[in-house]
Amino acid sequence: MGLDNKQQKDIYKNIWRPMEQLFRYEKQTLLMDRFFRDYLTMKLARIPKLDKIYEEFKMYTNNCEFSTLEDLCKDLYIYARYYTNMIFEQGTNKNLINLYKEIKYLKMEVAFPFLLKIHYDFERNLINEDELVSIIKLCISYVFRRNICDIPTNSLNKTFATLKNEINVDDYINSIKAFFILKDDYKIFPNDEKFSSALKVKDIYHMRIRNYILSSLENFNNKAPINIENYTIEHIMPQTKNLSNVWKKELGKNYETVQKKYLHTIGNLTLTAYNSEMSNKSFSEKIEMNGGFKESALRLNSYVVKQNEWNEKIIKERASILVEKALLIWKYPIIERNILVKYKNDDKQQMYGIDSYDFNKTTKMLFDKLNMRIMNLSSEVRREFKKLYIAYKLDTNFADIVVQKNRLRISVNMKFNEVIDEYNICKDVTNLGRWGNGDVELFLEDICDVDKVMDIIRQSFNKQL
């Protein structure tokens, strides 16, 4: 609107309108809203609030690196191409299209800000195509392994929002690998041991991504990949609660325990086009019947057809075989030790723990009680030991504890006028310098007051939740 009429028309016709058309009419408004948020996240390395995107974008245009609005619009168009290619699984590169499909399966929209960045660097020749592919695969492995290991996902958006800051353009790939390897606690990239252990016993059948997992295992390094939509998932050891005598004998005297433990795990699942025909048949019948495992050309069944029986030992053996393949599909980053040490030494963030604070007998007792109550609010609560305080987080801090001489000082991350303080224990510290986050301060001096303090902390927790 700040341009003259001719400039407005030129930019609209040649840049803005073509960009709008990338998003396809039926989903245009929704996807463009998401794009602008991810674009700003990528540029600012922080996530704008959903209801502040328009204001944030106006502020960005006043302070961005572009000298003209035309240059800004050209930049938007460039990133919109990357964005819509990922969203609609399109482009000229078959390898990238397949990776975009995986991103969609895993609902990895949280990674888009970072993925925008690496696509841009690829077009600027900072990385080559193989490196681009390997970085995307690394992000997929990170998200997938965490999913299998049941690590909460609520921190992923911030991890990917700031990941671009870790890139060393002179050592691009290694800097990203080092970032992932050196993360711990709630940002951890599960290593092979943790991933393997979790995958072997995971209830795969009831996961939203079960088809993705089985399809990936079947089609890995397969020049003639199958379309999983043509198959259904088969429990080799059947689901029925009333197992036949043949199955009971095959599984052994602990058949109920074996069925409960391994029924939905990777070792007992496969693909078939004859699910209804197999039903609850015995293992030997499933092998020999028309359309049975012996007639299957699926790689997932290559181990199955060599067996004469199906029991706990064989299910565990098959799980181990499939997990070994999974380690090749969803790889852990590998980096030379001497290079990793360099990045580790560059990390100036000191590690703190419970012993970093000056507790006495009284304050330690108060802390142990309050800490237990806060951590029991939800399995998604994360605790971080900072230099000057102990932080409790969901997406960000909802409460912080400072250890003082004979009491605990608690900062609650809310506006003072938002708090319902029926015990009159809160203090307004708006615009006052304090360690911790928020405008509300209170103290815990007596174990009898834990319930009162928790009432205030729970308000901040619920607000953030």
Side-chain angles (χ1 to χ4, degrees), residues 184-186 352-354 357 359 364 367-368 370-372 374-375 378-386 389-394 397-401:
D184 57 12
D185 197 18
Y186 65 93
Y352 299 96
I354 196 68
Y357 309 98
F359 285 107
K364 187 62 167 62
F367 174 77
D368 287 344
L370 185 59
N371 173 72
M372 181 183 70
I374 296 174
M375 296 303 295
S378 168
S379 61
E380 294 190 0
V381 172
R382 308 192 315 271
R383 182 184 63 191
E384 291 184 4
F385 297 111
K386 304 292 188 181
Y389 59 89
I390 300 158
Y392 296 86
K393 300 184 172 189
L394 288 175
N397 301 38
F398 62 85
D400 305 308
I401 296 176

Side-chain angles (χ1 to χ4, degrees), residues 170-191:
D170 297 320
D171 193 25
Y172 206 107
I173 300 294
N174 283 331
S175 63
I176 295 173
K177 288 182 177 180
F179 169 82
F180 281 126
I181 292 172
L182 294 174
K183 289 298 108 179
D184 57 12
D185 197 18
Y186 65 93
K187 290 186 177 181
I188 195 169
F189 195 131
N191 60 24

Side-chain angles (χ1 to χ4, degrees), residues 293-414:
F293 293 135
K294 268 197 175 179
E295 295 181 6
S296 172
L298 297 179
R299 295 181 173 194
L300 277 174
N301 293 327
S302 59
Y303 174 84
V304 179
V305 299
K306 298 174 184 176
Q307 308 309 310
N308 297 317
E309 57 183 353
W310 198 254
N311 53 38
E312 180 179 12
K313 176 177 175 290
I314 291 172
I315 292 172
K316 290 167 70 175
E317 285 179 358
R318 181 168 178 263
S320 295
I321 293 170
L322 293 177
V323 166
E324 285 301 311
K325 183 180 283 191
L327 293 173
L328 299 175
I329 300 171
W330 298 285
K331 293 182 179 179
Y332 187 78
I334 298 174
I335 186 172
E336 293 180 17
R337 183 177 295 274
N338 62 313
I339 297 176
L340 182 62
V341 168
K342 180 184 72 172
Y343 284 99
K344 193 171 186 177
N345 292 339
D346 284 346
D347 186 0
K348 297 182 176 59
Q349 183 182 2
Q350 185 177 347
M351 299 302 293
Y352 299 96
I354 196 68
D355 296 330
S356 303
Y357 309 98
D358 190 17
F359 285 107
N360 58 34
K361 187 175 180 180
T362 299
T363 54
K364 187 62 167 62
M365 176 188 67
L366 293 172
F367 174 77
D368 287 344
K369 185 67 173 178
L370 185 59
N371 173 72
M372 181 183 70
R373 293 284 297 275
I374 296 174
M375 296 303 295
N376 284 341
L377 287 171
S378 168
S379 61
E380 294 190 0
V381 172
R382 308 192 315 271
R383 182 184 63 191
E384 291 184 4
F385 297 111
K386 304 292 188 181
K387 182 178 181 180
L388 301 172
Y389 59 89
I390 300 158
Y392 296 86
K393 300 184 172 189
L394 288 175
D395 277 338
T396 188
N397 301 38
F398 62 85
D400 305 308
I401 296 176
V402 176
V403 181
Q404 296 187 329
K405 188 174 181 180
N406 292 306
R407 64 185 183 179
L408 304 179
R409 183 176 70 79
I410 299 107
S411 294
V412 175
N413 198 358
M414 296 177 70

Side-chain angles (χ1 to χ4, degrees), residues 231-278:
Y231 297 84
T232 54
I233 295 177
E234 166 69 12
H235 290 80
I236 302 172
M237 169 180 60
Q239 296 188 73
T240 180
K241 293 181 179 179
N242 300 313
L243 286 171
S244 66
N245 290 331
V246 175
W247 269 113
K248 289 178 182 179
K249 182 179 179 181
E250 195 145 322
L251 295 174
K253 62 181 181 180
N254 296 321
Y255 66 88
E256 290 178 320
T257 303
V258 172
Q259 186 188 38
K260 183 177 180 180
K261 185 174 181 179
Y262 297 103
L263 179 63
H264 300 308
T265 63
I266 196 72
N268 189 53
L269 299 179
T270 190
L271 296 171
T272 180
Y274 294 87
N275 182 271
S276 59
E277 288 86 348
M278 288 188 175

